[in-house]
Amino acid sequence: MADRRDREGIVVRDVTMTYERRGITTTAVDGCDLIVPKGSWASLLGPSGCGKSTLLKILADIVRPTSGIATMDELTPAEARAARIFALVSQQSVMLPWRRLAENVELGLEVAGVSRRERRARAREAIELVGLSGFEKAYPHELSGGMRQRGAIARALTLRPKFLLMDEPFGALDELTRERLNFELIQILEETGATLLLVTHSVSEAVILSDKVAVMSPRPGRIVHVASLPFGHHRTPELRDDPRFVAAERELRHALGSGGAPDAAAPPEPAAPDRALVAG
Amino acid sequence: MRRVIPAALLLAAVLAGWELYVTLTGVSVLVVPPPSGIAAAIVENRADLVHQTLVTLAEASLGFLLGNLVAIVCAVAFTYSGLLRAGAYPLVLAMQAVPLVAIAPILVLWLGPGILSKVLLAAFLAYTVTLVNMVRGLASADAGTLELMHTLNASRWQQLTRVRFPAALPYLFTSLKLGASAAIVAAIAAEYIGALEGLGYLIHDTRARLDNEYLWAAVATAAVIGLAAFGLVVLAERWAMPWRREAVEET
Amino acid sequence: MKRITRKLLEGVAGVRAAAAFLLAALLLWQLVTSTGLVKFYVLPAPSTVLEAMARFRGELGEEALATLTVALAGFALGTVAAIAVAMTLTYSRLVRTAVYPLLLALRALPFIAIIPILVVLMGTGYEPRITICAISTFLTTLVNLMRGLRSADGEVEELMHTLNATGMQRLLKVRVYAARPYLLAALRISASSCVIEATVAEWITGDSGLGYLVQISGYTFQIGLMWAAIVVASALTLALVGVITLIEKVAMPWAPQAPGAGAAV
């Protein structure tokens, strides 16, 4: 039973990603193993340059691993992308500036060839879910960063994805907005039942949003510790006062500290070493 | 450099095709001379051609230098005087709408067929282009950096040279590229209207004499120097701003 | 509709300040010329120019129309051709790399040198004039369109990739829109260039148009008329650019300010 949930979830087995730039070979990800059962929430936590974004990009079929297996619901990333079973939310909300919010949110469905009536209905649903009702006709430049990011989440949700891949989605926002959005995201996840894989460098965000946190260390990128969190999926802001929350944070900080110091001089992760996959 | 190869091959193919076309269809030399005929004309008249080219180049370069220098000075003035900027700048923008090259007949009328009219027209063109771009460029300096200079008690001159000018460099080079071609066009245009020497005069003259091969040769030379001038500015840009690759291209 | 009116009014307010200075400049010009400091054949008094404009308004109108027709025809042809070619070029990177440097090189050619060739090939009349305008518009617009089509954000490309979009979808839903500001900037430049090129071409084909008018009024020393023709030509250019700017504001309401694209002139 658990085994099937594992298989239908995210499976990363011995995934390695190396690339060469100017004659120097860098190992972004080294032999990572991770299982995120279907319907559960997981985070990749670590400092800059630890490979967490690369691992996510491998799953999102933006980058190809040098070796290893990565699957979602037993499909390879390329198959998963073609079947549209996942949605990616990145740090930049990537709204098309010439489209209004509703049209931006509809973009995924539009590309998938869904009829206009259904697109409109699903977009409206998603916009309501993220709390942006009333702003359908606004242009991205008229919205705040937090609103744009909510729009990006809405766009992801219209696809009713089985898997939600998020790469530091709230990284560009101020802390207050970020905290609020964290708990809003929890409600959305509860309602949609998607499997979440979140990349973050914030310890508290990882604890708030996960059942399982994989701590990664840089150069080479390895998973050095996996923490399981006992909180269910129904979480409120009071969670932060829970002693188990504090303990979990402590455990993770310790793991971060010992697994290779967050090095300020760590080279930035490459945007997408194998751009060939995203040819224009 | 390797990127140029496909283009060079294409060009060679075009020239070959052209030669073939003329040979095969036997088109009159008075309509379209073959590349070989043009090359022959160049070789035959090379002394004269070189002379006329140098005249045009001299006029264009002089005008280019003059126009740009004055434009840069004016741009600095506009940057530091709000009054000038509010009042005169819109006029400058309107001046951009004036088809300056069309003024050539007026200039020739006023200054005669000598080189002065050509130099002046080239200068006007370079001036308008560079002034607008330089004003924009000097204004594009990062406000944060200027603030910093202010707190460091930097003088206006230091702010100008250390912050504004570097910020204006990309804009300057864009206008230099435009201005170089424009100056050459201006010189040739004014020569066409009325001159004793220069490529424009040569074009006018060969056309009147129906010396079609020499006409095409003159045109080709004009094309080449236009290109060369552009290329020179591009090289100068690469040298002056090695950190920008394809970032700034002219429009 | 309301938005258009608001933008028009904003433009008008800015114009008022400039108009004040323009008036002052004109008065100064009138003063200087009436003192006889400047020879009449260099700079005639504004009054002379205005008088010529009034007296010859028929001819001016006729020639202006001729120049405008040529410029617009060339502009339209060049633009359509550029858009068509730009769309086809999206299919082959090899062809693009071969063609792009050639395009840049062609743009650096002094247009005035090309006109005599065109006249030899096409005779005097409208054809060479329209052609030179079309060629220069084509080159400018194509170069800018190509840049514009490539200008879409890397992250937007990534998004489209994860949404499993086809190449055609990417082109039509993203790149075409990203190219719009570049296209409009190119149109603005081409419009003013067309007027200049049409005018200059008229010297060489010489039978109608404002450039021709400037030339022959020069021969008869009618300086007022010469300047009047130049003023009309400038007004034409301003009007064309103004129309395009208006179209830009209406067609791209999402742009809070027009992007620079370098420092376009």
Side-chain angles (χ1 to χ4, degrees):
Chain A
M1 179 60 188
D3 189 45
R4 199 186 72 185
R5 273 189 64 215
D6 286 354
R7 273 187 289 120
E8 287 174 356
I10 300 177
V11 175
V12 174
R13 210 176 310 148
D14 201 22
V15 164
T16 300
M17 167 79 201
T18 58
Y19 65 96
E20 214 177 285
R21 192 193 275 172
R22 295 201 204 126
I24 302 175
T25 314
T26 315
T27 309
V29 174
D30 186 24
C32 285
D33 292 291
L34 180 68
I35 294 184
V36 183
K38 173 172 162 180
S40 70
W41 307 343
S43 293
L44 296 174
L45 173 69
S48 307
C50 69
K52 53 193 196 297
S53 281
T54 310
L55 198 49
L56 195 77
K57 286 185 179 158
I58 288 174
L59 285 165
D61 196 33
I62 294 174
V63 156
R64 212 175 282 137
T66 321
S67 66
I69 299 175
T71 62
M72 286 180 280
D73 200 4
E74 301 188 277
L75 296 174
T76 65
E79 291 166 347
R81 185 167 64 91
R84 295 196 172 95
I85 60 170
F86 73 84
L88 176 70
V89 179
S90 30
Q91 190 170 21
Q92 307 306 323
S93 52
V94 198
M95 295 266 128
L96 301 183
W98 50 84
R99 286 184 172 218
R100 300 176 193 273
L101 178 66
E103 293 159 354
N104 262 298
V105 172
E106 282 177 30
L107 183 62
L109 295 173
E110 204 181 304
V111 168
V114 171
S115 76
R116 185 176 298 181
R117 191 162 352 133
E118 168 136 15
R119 284 206 308 258
R120 292 246 174 91
R122 304 235 284 226
R124 205 171 312 142
E125 239 180 76
I127 289 177
E128 207 180 304
L129 203 58
V130 299
L132 281 176
S133 299
F135 289 98
E136 288 90 341
K137 293 214 179 297
Y139 282 106
H141 72 84
E142 296 169 333
L143 301 170
S144 72
M147 293 164 90
R148 283 202 292 271
Q149 202 59 314
R150 281 197 244 161
I153 294 174
R155 179 176 56 208
L157 293 176
T158 58
L159 299 167
R160 300 205 180 123
K162 295 188 199 163
F163 300 90
L164 200 52
L165 305 176
M166 304 182 96
D167 190 354
E168 303 202 43
F170 308 126
L173 306 173
D174 63 88
E175 184 155 356
L176 298 174
T177 314
R178 203 187 316 159
E179 280 176 11
R180 186 158 29 98
L181 287 177
N182 280 343
F183 285 100
E184 280 185 28
L185 183 60
I186 286 182
Q187 285 179 309
I188 294 171
L189 287 168
E190 269 189 287
E191 276 198 49
T192 59
T195 311
L196 171 72
L197 184 59
L198 171 77
V199 164
T200 178
H201 58 246
S202 156
V203 175
S204 53
E205 187 169 87
V207 178
I208 291 172
L209 279 166
S210 318
D211 300 317
K212 187 190 290 194
V213 179
V215 179
M216 294 182 73
S217 75
R219 289 183 294 132
R222 279 203 198 109
I223 296 180
V224 295
H225 181 79
V226 178
S228 287
L229 302 174
F231 320 111
H233 277 187
H234 186 72
R235 308 178 185 195
T236 59
E238 284 74 48
L239 176 66
R240 264 202 284 258
D241 302 322
D242 190 321
R244 294 176 299 173
F245 184 94
V246 180
E249 276 195 326
R250 206 183 317 138
E251 179 189 341
L252 290 172
R253 263 185 243 281
H254 186 74
L256 276 170
S258 63
D263 190 346
E269 289 181 38
D274 188 351
R275 276 255 140 198
L277 275 177
V278 192
Chain B
M1 258 295 113
R2 215 180 317 139
R3 282 191 304 173
V4 185
I5 295 185
L9 284 175
L10 187 57
L11 186 61
V14 167
L15 283 173
W18 178 0
E19 182 80 37
L20 225 67
Y21 171 77
V22 175
T23 332
L24 289 177
T25 60
V27 168
S28 158
V29 140
L30 281 178
V31 180
V32 184
S36 51
I38 298 174
I42 293 179
V43 169
E44 198 184 304
N45 298 291
R46 59 185 179 282
D48 184 44
L49 190 57
V50 165
H51 172 72
Q52 310 293 12
T53 310
L54 286 175
V55 169
T56 305
L57 272 177
E59 294 162 353
S61 318
L62 224 60
F64 181 69
L65 272 167
L66 188 63
N68 278 301
L69 278 172
V70 177
I72 294 178
V73 169
C74 285
V76 173
F78 277 152
T79 310
Y80 283 107
S81 160
L83 181 66
L84 268 180
R85 197 168 43 239
Y89 194 54
L91 290 182
V92 171
L93 286 180
M95 229 173 76
Q96 273 192 299
V98 176
L100 279 176
V101 181
I103 290 190
I106 297 181
L107 280 178
V108 171
L109 202 61
W110 171 25
L111 298 166
I115 67 162
L116 196 54
S117 48
K118 316 346 181 227
V119 171
L120 219 57
L121 190 62
F124 271 146
L125 248 69
Y127 175 80
T128 6
V129 168
T130 304
L131 179 61
V132 174
N133 275 300
M134 271 309 271
V135 169
R136 234 183 263 164
L138 289 171
S140 77
D142 177 43
T145 317
L146 285 171
E147 239 168 53
L148 174 68
M149 295 294 274
H150 179 76
T151 58
L152 291 173
N153 207 21
S155 71
R156 278 228 208 148
W157 177 255
Q158 285 173 318
Q159 281 189 26
L160 182 65
T161 49
R162 291 188 211 296
V163 181
R164 286 197 194 271
F165 264 143
L169 271 184
Y171 292 80
L172 178 63
F173 276 104
T174 304
S175 60
L176 285 182
K177 276 182 245 178
L178 286 168
S181 324
I184 293 183
V185 169
I188 296 179
E191 286 163 2
Y192 187 89
I193 287 289
L196 306 163
E197 296 183 301
L199 281 173
Y201 158 76
L202 192 59
I203 291 175
H204 183 108
D205 186 51
T206 51
R207 212 183 135 223
R209 284 188 289 124
L210 291 181
D211 187 351
N212 211 23
E213 274 148 333
Y214 198 5
L215 170 63
W216 281 74
V219 168
T221 315
V224 166
I225 63 168
L227 261 174
F230 180 78
L232 266 175
V233 180
V234 169
L235 282 176
E237 181 182 25
R238 292 234 180 103
W239 170 81
M241 300 193 299
W243 61 88
R244 293 182 88 104
R245 270 186 6 191
E246 217 197 71
V248 180
E249 277 177 37
E250 72 339 321
T251 38
Chain C
M1 207 50 226
K2 223 186 283 179
R3 206 189 310 130
I4 302 176
T5 348
R6 185 158 32 99
K7 301 250 182 212
L8 271 173
L9 285 175
E10 279 173 3
V12 166
V15 165
R16 255 185 305 177
F21 268 86
L22 180 64
L23 224 59
L26 280 173
L27 280 169
L28 186 65
W29 177 7
Q30 179 76 33
L31 276 169
V32 168
T33 48
S34 36
T35 61
L37 267 175
V38 185
K39 300 226 176 50
F40 79 96
Y41 53 80
V42 174
L43 203 62
S47 48
T48 321
V49 176
L50 284 170
E51 189 220 354
M53 282 177 77
R55 178 139 62 102
F56 293 100
R57 62 181 176 285
E59 288 86 338
L60 280 169
E62 216 178 288
E63 308 302 356
L65 194 61
T67 304
L68 185 63
T69 320
V70 166
L72 279 180
F75 178 72
L77 271 173
T79 305
V80 168
I83 294 178
V85 172
M87 288 292 142
T88 18
L89 281 179
T90 54
Y91 290 107
S92 164
R93 186 177 295 185
L94 181 63
V95 176
R96 275 206 307 273
T97 357
V99 161
Y100 194 71
L102 278 180
L103 290 176
L104 287 180
L106 284 172
R107 282 186 73 203
L109 297 184
F111 74 83
I112 182 152
I114 313 284
I115 301 178
I117 303 283
L118 289 177
V119 172
V120 166
L121 288 174
M122 300 172 158
T124 62
Y126 281 108
E127 293 91 333
R129 292 187 250 162
I130 296 181
T131 311
I132 189 72
C133 291
I135 293 178
S136 109
T137 305
F138 174 77
L139 291 174
T140 306
T141 310
L142 182 58
V143 166
N144 275 290
L145 256 183
M146 284 173 76
R147 284 177 62 204
L149 286 170
R150 279 186 302 178
S151 72
D153 229 353
E155 283 161 339
V156 173
E157 295 272 322
E158 213 172 76
L159 174 71
M160 294 304 272
H161 174 80
T162 56
L163 289 176
N164 208 24
T166 64
M168 180 61 73
Q169 283 177 323
R170 272 184 242 205
L171 177 64
L172 294 176
K173 293 189 198 298
V174 173
R175 293 164 68 192
V176 164
Y177 288 88
R180 266 210 245 182
Y182 288 80
L183 176 64
L184 283 161
L187 289 181
R188 246 183 290 135
I189 299 171
S190 305
S192 47
S193 301
C194 276
V195 175
I196 297 179
E197 285 147 11
T199 316
V200 170
E202 286 156 11
W203 297 344
I204 303 182
T205 64
D207 60 0
S208 66
L210 290 171
Y212 162 72
L213 191 57
V214 172
Q215 241 187 343
I216 56 165
S217 49
Y219 296 154
T220 55
F221 277 90
Q222 287 176 290
I223 311 296
L225 183 54
M226 279 179 100
W227 279 86
I230 303 267
V231 168
V232 172
S234 317
L236 263 179
T237 313
L238 275 173
L240 280 177
V241 172
V243 166
I244 294 181
T245 311
L246 195 65
I247 294 179
E248 186 174 15
K249 291 215 159 83
V250 168
M252 302 201 307
W254 63 83
Q257 25 131 169
V265 169

